[in-house]
Amino acid sequence: MADPNIFAYAMLLIWPLVAWMLYTRLDPAKALIWTLLGGYLLLPPVAAIDFPVVPDLRKETIPNLMAMLLSVYLLRDRVPVMPEGMLGRVLIGLFVLSPFATVLTNGDPLPIVNHDVPGMRIYDSVAAMANQAIFLMPFFLGRRYLGTPQAMQAMLAAFVAGGLAYSIPMLIEVRFSPQINVWIYGFFQHDFFQTIRFGGYRPVVFLPHGLWVAFFALMALLSAMIRFRDAGPDARAKQFLIVLYLGLMLYLCKSAGPVIYAVVAAPLILLAPRRVQLSVAAGLAVIVVMYPLLRGLHVIPVDRIVAAAEMVSPERAGSLAFRVANEEQLLARAAERPWFGWGGYGRNLIRDPVTGRELSIVDGEWAIQIGTYGWLGYIAEFGLLALPLILMAREAVLQRGVVFSRVACGMALILAVSMVDLLPNATIVAITWLMAGALMGYAEAVSRDRKAREALDRLTLRPERTVI
């Protein structure tokens, strides 16, 4: 793979100025959305500016850092980082601090004949904890600025607008092969062979892989469906055409998983009552959190799933079987250091004992987290993503007479589908955390309203005392 050109690094250096312009011209919610979404869609993958001590400045960190710095120093706002509930605070503490325990338990090098895999150092814990905090910044900011139906409506509108704009380079790459990142930034970011599907190409544009493009196309499509269901009579025809067009774009991405997600999620978004949407979203979140345990207990019928895939596409079934075999090996590897994992430098992977060559391929975010940071790191990450969905479902049970926002319920389904996709892929990005933070803010607001009403009811029903 060729090195990024000078324009790639220039874009990384320019993005802070772009973020500053957004924050000076838009309201805080829209500025936050477009700083993160624009950086995700436009900045070069892989390229990074490496300074000593501090985390690398790259596509995944610069938008997060700028959004937080501008919120604090330009808007003069105090962004709270701790949720209102104790469980959320514990999960955030685990997420940020668990790498320190991982480093302390992985100081030993792994013996390889040619060259040992190094042990972890205290320096590694500082860098890892800093990265964890940066990854959570969209969660903090989403909770602060996007926890209202109006702000979430703006986020869905941005997803749709981003999907429509991104469709132009996607169509170019479907026709001429994925070349735009080469034309603009001077390199191709992945294995070109993986872009060839069903006699054509699947687009990559400026994202890490074609799967990331397909999943963003799915998010744009589901967002358009939510807006279609919520639209008035005058806007319905336009919104319906947008849904059809984005559905076509998802099909052209040639990725089976997102298409299956769309087929399952579409009836829920377009037809299901809001409380059913919340129940399904929370149920999916719980299943995802428990998935590694269920896999370890051999409760998940992976053989039947592979056999079902075989009837649809032998090629895809072979890919799935390969993934399952890798996951079994990685689970066994993770079980050797279950609590805090193996740490970085690829220590969680299966290697050739002589050459050190990696013999396993890890795709799913769940397997990456368990292998790297252990069960505590996994529970912290997936628990934080699941928590707002569970809190919203709880409030739906406790508050039978309250009407939940259709936008919030639809976004809960999108986040739940995003969590499901973290089982086969590592597609967690800043906008995933942004949605989780927005839904956390909404769930906390609904909970505060309930508690305030209950307190008022207790005061109203309290018997008056009389003095005789």
Side-chain angles (χ1 to χ4, degrees):
M1 183 176 68
D3 293 330
N5 60 25
I6 190 66
F7 185 67
Y9 294 103
M11 279 294 292
L12 295 177
L13 294 173
I14 288 170
W15 200 253
L17 177 61
V18 173
W20 180 81
M21 294 175 64
L22 290 171
Y23 269 81
T24 55
R25 287 165 170 76
L26 301 177
D27 64 77
K30 291 182 179 178
L32 168 62
I33 293 166
W34 284 108
T35 295
L36 298 182
L37 181 60
Y40 175 62
L41 295 178
L42 298 178
L43 290 180
V46 182
I49 301 172
D50 185 9
F51 290 117
V53 183
V54 300
D56 293 346
L57 299 180
R58 58 186 191 274
K59 180 189 188 87
E60 294 81 10
T61 59
I62 291 175
N64 296 7
L65 285 167
M66 289 310 305
M68 179 61 79
L69 289 173
L70 290 169
S71 297
V72 173
Y73 293 106
L74 182 64
L75 302 182
R76 305 287 182 182
D77 195 6
R78 296 181 63 183
V79 179
V81 299
M82 286 298 179
E84 295 176 1
M86 181 56 67
L87 179 57
R89 298 180 182 186
V90 170
L91 290 174
I92 286 177
L94 278 177
F95 187 85
V96 176
L97 299 178
S98 62
F100 186 73
T102 298
V103 168
L104 292 181
T105 54
N106 283 278
D108 56 314
L110 303 182
I112 300 291
V113 172
N114 283 0
H115 188 273
D116 290 352
V117 179
M120 304 292 289
R121 304 161 297 173
I122 295 297
Y123 167 84
D124 296 316
S125 68
V126 175
M129 288 190 292
N131 273 317
Q132 296 287 83
I134 292 171
F135 292 152
L136 276 188
M137 285 178 181
F139 181 87
F140 304 145
L141 294 165
R143 177 173 170 264
R144 172 68 180 88
Y145 295 112
L146 304 179
T148 65
Q150 296 78 16
M152 283 187 272
Q153 185 71 260
M155 187 161 25
L156 294 180
F159 290 165
V160 173
L164 292 173
Y166 227 52
S167 69
I168 298 173
M170 289 166 64
L171 286 170
I172 293 173
E173 293 200 338
V174 167
R175 176 63 181 85
F176 297 104
S177 84
Q179 297 295 329
I180 291 180
N181 201 79
V182 178
W183 297 339
I184 303 298
Y185 293 131
F187 70 102
F188 189 73
Q189 61 268 50
H190 209 274
D191 180 6
F192 187 84
F193 178 77
Q194 293 191 21
T195 69
I196 302 172
R197 283 291 184 274
F198 306 113
Y201 301 101
R202 56 182 182 184
V204 182
V205 196
F206 302 126
L207 298 188
H209 189 281
L211 288 170
W212 273 248
V213 177
F215 197 82
F216 177 69
L218 171 69
M219 292 178 63
L221 173 61
L222 297 183
S223 299
M225 289 180 180
I226 297 169
R227 288 168 57 80
F228 168 71
R229 185 172 181 180
D230 211 29
D234 296 338
R236 285 229 159 179
K238 176 183 176 182
Q239 295 298 330
F240 181 68
L241 290 176
I242 292 174
V243 169
L244 290 180
Y245 178 72
L246 291 176
L248 173 63
M249 294 310 305
L250 177 60
Y251 172 77
L252 292 177
C253 288
K254 300 180 178 68
S255 294
V259 172
I260 294 172
Y261 301 150
V263 170
V264 174
L268 290 168
I269 288 177
L270 295 174
L271 302 173
R274 303 177 196 191
R275 293 175 188 275
V276 172
Q277 292 177 346
L278 291 180
S279 298
V280 171
L284 287 175
V286 171
I287 291 172
V288 170
V289 172
M290 295 179 62
Y291 177 81
L293 178 62
L294 298 176
R295 276 295 303 275
L297 296 174
H298 302 286
V299 174
I300 303 293
V302 290
D303 293 336
R304 294 181 183 177
I305 296 173
V306 172
E310 179 76 28
M311 293 186 291
V312 177
S313 169
E315 181 185 359
R316 295 297 90 213
S319 175
L320 179 60
F322 177 77
R323 288 189 181 211
V324 168
N326 265 278
E327 288 175 355
E328 294 291 345
Q329 293 177 348
L330 291 167
L331 271 174
R333 174 75 171 166
E336 297 176 27
R337 298 191 180 181
W339 293 111
F340 304 114
W342 287 92
Y345 304 121
R347 293 165 55 89
N348 61 312
L349 302 177
I350 310 297
R351 293 178 178 271
D352 185 287
V354 177
T355 65
R357 185 173 64 89
E358 296 176 0
L359 301 178
S360 57
I361 298 175
V362 55
D363 291 312
E365 176 68 15
W366 70 275
I368 295 172
Q369 278 297 311
I370 288 182
T372 305
Y373 295 121
W375 272 99
L376 291 182
Y378 170 82
I379 291 170
E381 179 175 282
F382 281 74
L384 273 176
L385 292 172
L387 184 58
L389 303 179
I390 294 170
L391 292 179
M392 289 177 67
R394 184 192 69 175
E395 293 301 321
V397 172
L398 294 176
Q399 304 190 59
R400 289 292 181 183
V402 174
V403 177
F404 285 80
S405 163
R406 190 184 304 280
V407 173
C409 296
M411 186 171 289
L413 279 174
I414 296 178
L415 179 59
V417 172
S418 301
M419 290 188 65
V420 171
D421 195 57
L422 296 181
L423 299 180
N425 302 304
T427 47
I428 186 167
V429 293
I431 52 179
T432 313
W433 287 113
L434 193 67
M435 288 191 295
L439 292 170
M440 176 64 81
Y442 180 79
E444 290 177 338
V446 172
S447 178
R448 283 195 302 271
D449 290 344
R450 172 179 58 81
K451 292 175 182 177
R453 287 195 304 271
E454 290 174 351
L456 182 61
D457 290 343
R458 285 194 297 269
L459 288 174
T460 304
L461 296 175
R462 183 178 297 172
E464 296 183 2
R465 296 185 178 182
T466 57
V467 179
I468 300 178

